[in-house]
Amino acid sequence: PKMKEEQCLHAALLCLGVLCYSHGLATEKLNHSRPSLHGHHEKGKEGQVLHRSKRGWVWNQFFVIEEYTGPDPVLVGRLHSDIDSGDGNIKYILSGEGAGIIFVIDDKSGNIHATKTLDREERAQYTLTAQAVDRNTNRPLEPPSEFIVKVQDINDNPPEFLHENYHANVPERSNVGTSVIQVTASDADDPTYGNSAKLVYSILEGQPYFSVEAQTGIIRTALPNMDREAKEEYHVVIQAKDMGGHMGGLSGTTKVTITLTDVNDNPPKFPQSVYQMSVSEAAVPGEEVGRVKAKDPDIGENGLVAYSIIDGDGMDMFEITTDYETQEGVVKLKKTLDYETKKSYSLKVEAANVHIDPKFISNGPFKDTVTVKIAVEDADEPPVFLKPSYIFEVQENAASGTVVGKVHAKDPDAANSAIRYSIDRHTDLERYFVINAEDGNIKTIKALDREEMAWHNISVFAVEVHKQHQEAKVPVAIKVLDVNDNAPRFAAAYEAFVCENARSNQQFITISADDKDDSANGPRFIFSLPPEIIHNPNFTLRDNRDNTASVLVRREGFSRQKQDLYLLPIVISDGGVPPLSSTNTLTIRVCGCDSGGSLLSCSAEAYVLNAGLSTGALIAILACIVILLVIVVLFVTLKRQKKEPLIVFEEEDVRENIITYDDEGGGEEDTEAFDIATLQNPDGINGFIPRKDIKPEYQYLPRPGLRPAPNSVDVDDFIHTRIQEADNDPTAPPYDSIQIYGYEGRGSVAGSLSSLESATTDSDLDYDYLQNWGPRFKKLADLYGSKDTFDDDS
């Protein structure tokens, strides 16, 4: 049936096109036919004669239906010239877009056919050029002229939405008709022709919650008071249909996911009316007691709840904070509890929304209250001292057993267990004190010295008798009171100096004192001379009444020769009750001074030396001594210098003059240039080779028969002889008695010619390779050739 409908539609459209073409052709003939071919004259505005050509073409704008699938090519239209008499002498030619490929023309009749199926959405029109020529001469009979072939649209494209899926949000409890989102579809068909592109929107899924505007595609809410807490997400299907929504139109659909956003339309609510909690009396402030939670189905900031204590007898003992991660109220201990004082508390806790929406204030109040009952649990507490710390006083030098003070602790539990006391010995290492275990009395067991330690800080333990693990600790500070048991002394080790020419009543030193006792038993200090020397003829003392005293000269004229040292006893008394005093000795030296009173010397020896020699004489003596020492040093230096000898002693070994021999080996030239006898040790000729690093203990005589001839030219025999001497002579190491040239010059192809390494071998080495070394080594080849070679030569 569907194919039949499409075929009928195509046939109807084809008939419609033919009718339009016929009507257009008639209209064209009426509106555009020209007069005679020769035309007529018309006057212009300025009298100019204008020639208007007569129109020779007769045609209309052509149309062809898209997507035509008939068996024969569709007739687009016909070209005809008014000068065509029908005798076939006129030839019609078609050119332009698609000419000859899509559009073909019958050159005799002028009929134009479309040979291919056209798609308006691909191309809506084609521009062609028509021309009429004489068939025989090809002479143009009409000027070329353009015309347009339009592709007639049919409804062959369904509507398509911009997106396959849409997502939108709308607040819950929105009013009916609240706009949610607009969906848009497009149709590729021609919107200016028919209803192929006229779209109508409708909702397929999502009723009764949402609706859509048929012309705009705007989705709106259709149900009041939609609750997010009941249903949060909705799936809506929207359809777009062309042909104005009538039957036979094409359609397309899209899916829209609509989410309800939260608003604060629900107050918090506690799930129960009373919460029961418990806490130990041993809990410390800040410790968590329990948690409460009011449920709010809203989310985000709309579900935030703050907790507070608004009433109850435990408002001072407890507090509540909000845990915003879990939305719980955390009850915490604020102060220390005592089970024996109060065993339970009651709180009234309120939970309220932080953010309230004024639109839904009528749904309130947005808060709720609950009762929290807290029971205090008894705990086994340690003993408690009546004071947090104790301070006692005791006089120094008090007798052993003197009571210092008393501490007291009690058991806070209902059992009120007995308490035993003890001193922490880590705080009383010297064991100055002892405590009575039953009543807490602290006593001394040693004499105390304030000057050694003015305060004693100890710690006292209190332990329950039947529960040793329960103990308390309290600090006890004991102040040692001062007793005047230290006499005053000189503040320093004074030593005074007085000039020989001092004047009478001249002050030469001021002394002061100190006292180890407290200030109450120390200053003020009183200075005086002992009664037996109060009339001392040399010195006198003056108390300055500021804890200092001045010593003055009583007479004039002191002499170091007669007496250079005086000892003056001074009595110092303190202000204690009773007062203590001590006698201190001041040492006074007699010194020589200049006229200004500056010290020069304080020893009697210096005074005698000064009388015998002056300073100038001493300087002259020292200068003479220094000059004599310089002369002696120069003389010794000159005597040690020696002249080096200019010539070598004759008895010096001639071998020591040969340092290096670094020439390249030259074979026979080398042998001729150097006398082998030079290498012979002069001493070795007589059979005695002295050792040069140590003195030999005995004379070593070489074995007979080993000594070679002095003028021997056989290098091999010479070297073997020296090797045997070195091996058998303990007093003459080889490095002191033989000098060798063990290698050819560096870079020589001959390598080493030395036979030093042949001490343990016979002379049966093969020297045949010397024959290949050329004329330079001919003599060596003759000397060291093989026996066969010698035999051949003989």
Side-chain angles (χ1 to χ4, degrees):
K2 186 175 182 181
M3 294 182 63
K4 290 182 178 181
E5 288 181 2
E6 291 181 354
Q7 290 177 359
C8 293
L9 179 62
H10 290 167
L13 291 175
L14 181 60
C15 294
L16 180 62
V18 172
L19 291 174
C20 292
Y21 166 70
S22 301
H23 176 72
L25 182 60
T27 305
E28 184 72 20
K29 288 182 178 180
L30 291 175
N31 295 334
H32 299 288
S33 60
R34 67 178 184 178
S36 65
L37 184 61
H38 302 286
H40 65 275
H41 299 283
E42 290 185 356
K43 284 189 177 181
K45 294 180 181 180
E46 299 180 357
Q48 182 181 1
V49 178
L50 299 177
H51 297 278
R52 185 175 66 180
S53 299
K54 180 182 178 182
R55 180 176 177 84
W57 288 107
V58 180
W59 73 83
N60 189 17
Q61 187 179 57
F62 297 141
F63 294 88
V64 60
I65 297 178
E66 67 170 335
E67 305 293 345
Y68 176 73
T69 59
D72 299 324
V74 62
L75 176 64
V76 177
R78 179 183 180 187
L79 294 179
H80 182 73
S81 175
D82 55 359
I83 62 174
D84 187 2
S85 61
D87 54 2
N89 291 326
I90 295 178
K91 180 182 180 180
Y92 295 98
I93 300 174
L94 185 65
S95 62
E97 297 174 345
I101 302 174
I102 300 176
F103 303 101
V104 295
I105 189 170
D106 187 342
D107 59 355
K108 290 182 179 182
S109 64
N111 292 331
I112 302 173
H113 291 82
T115 62
K116 292 185 178 181
T117 301
L118 302 181
D119 187 359
R120 189 203 67 84
E121 286 71 39
E122 182 178 342
R123 187 161 187 170
Q125 65 182 22
Y126 296 85
T127 302
L128 300 171
T129 302
Q131 190 175 9
V133 299
D134 188 280
R135 185 178 296 275
N136 298 321
T137 62
N138 285 331
R139 180 176 60 86
L141 300 178
E142 292 282 357
S145 182
E146 290 184 351
F147 67 95
I148 296 174
V149 177
K150 284 191 175 182
V151 181
Q152 190 73 40
D153 181 53
I154 65 172
N155 189 19
D156 60 341
N157 290 280
E160 292 183 358
F161 283 92
L162 298 179
H163 303 286
E164 184 178 353
N165 293 286
Y166 288 85
H167 295 274
N169 298 322
V170 64
E172 63 173 333
R173 308 282 183 182
S174 295
N175 296 326
V176 175
T178 301
S179 175
V180 179
I181 190 175
Q182 183 178 15
V183 294
T184 304
S186 61
D187 195 315
D189 293 326
D190 188 0
T192 63
Y193 178 77
N195 294 328
S196 297
K198 184 177 181 181
L199 304 181
V200 174
Y201 299 93
S202 61
I203 184 168
L204 300 182
E205 295 181 14
Q207 298 97 340
Y209 305 102
F210 299 97
S211 64
V212 63
E213 291 184 356
Q215 305 301 325
T216 62
I218 297 176
I219 301 175
R220 300 182 182 275
T221 58
L223 197 66
N225 297 323
M226 285 191 292
D227 190 4
R228 184 201 66 83
E229 287 73 33
K231 185 176 182 180
E232 182 177 7
E233 191 172 82
Y234 296 85
H235 298 282
V236 179
V237 178
I238 302 296
Q239 181 190 63
K241 190 173 184 180
D242 59 13
M243 298 299 291
H246 294 99
M247 184 176 295
L250 303 179
S251 63
T253 59
T254 185
K255 294 181 180 179
V256 183
T257 302
I258 301 176
T259 303
L260 297 182
T261 58
D262 185 63
V263 297
N264 190 10
D265 58 339
N266 295 281
K269 187 72 175 176
F270 283 105
Q272 58 197 68
S273 59
V274 179
Y275 282 88
Q276 298 286 348
M277 300 180 184
S278 61
V279 60
S280 173
E281 65 172 334
V284 296
E287 186 173 333
E288 180 178 330
V289 177
R291 296 190 173 212
V292 297
K293 184 175 183 179
K295 295 183 178 180
D296 191 330
D298 297 322
I299 61 175
E301 66 176 14
N302 297 318
L304 294 180
V305 179
Y307 298 88
S308 60
I309 299 175
I310 59 176
D311 197 8
D313 57 0
M315 292 183 64
D316 296 334
M317 305 302 294
F318 301 92
E319 61 183 355
I320 190 169
T321 59
T322 303
D323 186 346
Y324 286 102
E325 291 185 0
T326 61
Q327 289 297 301
E328 293 176 321
V330 183
V331 181
K332 295 183 179 180
L333 184 62
K334 191 176 180 180
K335 294 181 180 179
T336 304
L337 300 173
D338 186 8
Y339 173 80
E340 288 72 26
T341 303
K342 188 173 177 61
K343 296 179 176 58
S344 65
Y345 295 89
S346 178
L347 301 174
K348 189 175 183 181
V349 177
E350 180 185 79
N353 278 140
V354 177
H355 302 283
I356 299 177
D357 193 340
K359 296 179 182 178
F360 306 99
I361 194 70
S362 60
N363 293 3
F366 287 86
K367 57 185 178 181
D368 193 16
T369 58
V370 70
T371 301
V372 179
K373 293 184 178 181
I374 303 174
V376 181
E377 297 177 348
D378 188 20
D380 188 8
E381 300 175 271
V384 177
F385 283 94
L386 299 184
K387 295 181 180 180
S389 62
Y390 292 87
I391 299 178
F392 300 130
E393 294 180 349
V394 61
Q395 285 192 343
E396 64 175 329
N397 302 326
S400 177
T402 301
V403 176
V404 175
K406 181 179 181 179
V407 297
H408 182 68
K410 66 176 182 178
D411 182 11
D413 298 323
N416 196 16
S417 301
I419 305 298
R420 295 186 63 84
Y421 303 93
S422 62
I423 295 178
D424 183 1
R425 287 306 171 188
H426 294 92
T427 61
D428 186 26
L429 296 175
E430 300 295 331
R431 294 184 177 270
Y432 287 105
F433 307 97
V434 67
I435 189 170
N436 190 303
E438 283 76 21
D439 58 13
N441 277 323
I442 300 175
K443 298 179 180 180
T444 63
I445 53 177
K446 285 185 180 180
L448 305 177
D449 187 357
R450 190 203 69 86
E451 288 71 40
E452 182 179 346
M453 186 179 295
W455 285 88
H456 293 266
N457 296 303
I458 63 175
S459 297
V460 175
F461 289 114
V463 183
E464 294 183 16
V465 174
H466 302 292
K467 299 175 182 177
Q468 298 293 327
H469 64 282
Q470 295 289 7
E471 67 176 15
K473 187 178 181 181
V474 68
V476 177
I478 301 173
K479 181 180 181 181
V480 181
L481 301 178
D482 184 50
V483 174
N484 191 18
D485 57 347
N486 291 278
R489 300 287 180 183
F490 275 157
Y494 294 109
E495 187 174 5
F497 302 93
V498 63
C499 295
E500 289 180 311
N501 54 357
R503 300 186 304 274
S504 178
N505 292 326
Q506 179 181 353
Q507 176 182 337
F508 61 89
I509 190 173
T510 299
I511 60 175
S512 62
D514 60 9
D515 195 325
K516 294 182 179 179
D517 292 325
D518 195 6
S519 58
N521 293 316
R524 122 166 159 78
F525 298 118
I526 300 173
F527 299 86
S528 62
L529 295 177
E532 61 270 13
I533 62 166
I534 196 167
H535 299 293
N536 181 12
N538 298 315
F539 306 100
T540 185
L541 184 70
R542 183 180 64 203
D543 194 336
N544 296 327
R545 297 184 180 275
D546 60 354
N547 296 325
T548 65
S550 299
V551 182
L552 296 84
V553 178
R554 174 170 285 186
R555 64 179 179 85
E556 295 181 359
F558 290 90
S559 175
R560 281 180 287 174
Q561 289 79 16
K562 293 182 180 179
Q563 186 174 351
D564 62 344
L565 185 66
Y566 293 89
L567 300 176
L568 180 64
I570 298 175
V571 178
I572 307 174
S573 300
D574 60 20
V577 180
L580 292 180
S581 62
S582 65
T583 301
N584 301 266
T585 302
L586 177 65
T587 302
I588 303 172
R589 293 187 179 277
V590 180
C591 301
C593 304
D594 57 13
S595 58
S598 299
L599 296 178
L600 294 178
S601 177
C602 295
S603 62
E605 292 79 4
Y607 179 82
V608 174
L609 181 61
N610 189 29
L613 293 174
S614 64
T615 304
L618 291 175
I619 294 175
I621 292 172
L622 292 175
C624 292
I625 294 173
V626 170
I627 292 172
L628 290 175
L629 289 175
V630 171
I631 293 173
V632 170
V633 170
L634 290 175
F635 179 76
V636 172
T637 303
L638 292 174
K639 290 291 288 181
R640 287 185 176 180
Q641 291 182 353
K642 294 182 179 180
K643 264 188 177 183
E644 295 293 337
L646 299 177
I647 61 175
V648 182
F649 293 104
E650 295 179 357
E651 62 271 11
E652 186 176 355
D653 193 347
V654 70
R655 294 173 300 166
E656 294 180 357
N657 294 331
I658 301 175
I659 299 175
T660 60
Y661 185 68
D662 199 24
D663 294 339
E664 183 72 13
E668 56 198 39
E669 294 178 6
D670 214 14
T671 306
E672 294 175 357
F674 180 76
D675 187 6
I676 196 66
T678 308
L679 295 176
Q680 297 177 355
N681 190 350
D683 298 329
I685 298 175
N686 299 325
F688 173 70
I689 303 175
R691 187 183 181 117
K692 299 214 174 167
D693 52 351
I694 60 172
K695 184 177 180 180
E697 297 179 359
Y698 58 90
Q699 295 292 338
Y700 175 78
L701 295 178
R703 297 187 329 197
L706 296 178
R707 185 169 57 204
N711 297 326
S712 175
V713 294
D714 192 341
V715 178
D716 189 28
D717 294 339
F718 172 77
I719 291 177
H720 275 289
T721 301
R722 286 290 182 252
I723 290 175
Q724 293 180 11
E725 290 179 359
D727 291 342
N728 298 318
D729 184 12
T731 62
Y735 52 82
D736 282 341
S737 61
I738 185 170
Q739 300 192 21
I740 62 172
Y741 299 87
Y743 294 93
E744 270 299 302
R746 181 170 303 192
S748 173
V749 297
S752 174
L753 297 179
S754 174
S755 58
L756 289 178
E757 300 177 357
S758 60
T760 58
T761 62
D762 297 332
S763 298
D764 56 353
L765 298 177
D766 187 6
Y767 296 100
D768 291 342
Y769 57 88
L770 295 176
Q771 301 288 341
N772 301 325
W773 283 10
R776 288 179 176 268
F777 297 93
K778 186 175 183 304
K779 185 172 290 187
L780 286 175
D782 295 336
L783 290 174
Y784 294 94
S786 62
K787 294 181 180 180
D788 298 337
T789 304
F790 288 129
D791 296 340
D792 295 338
D793 292 339
S794 62

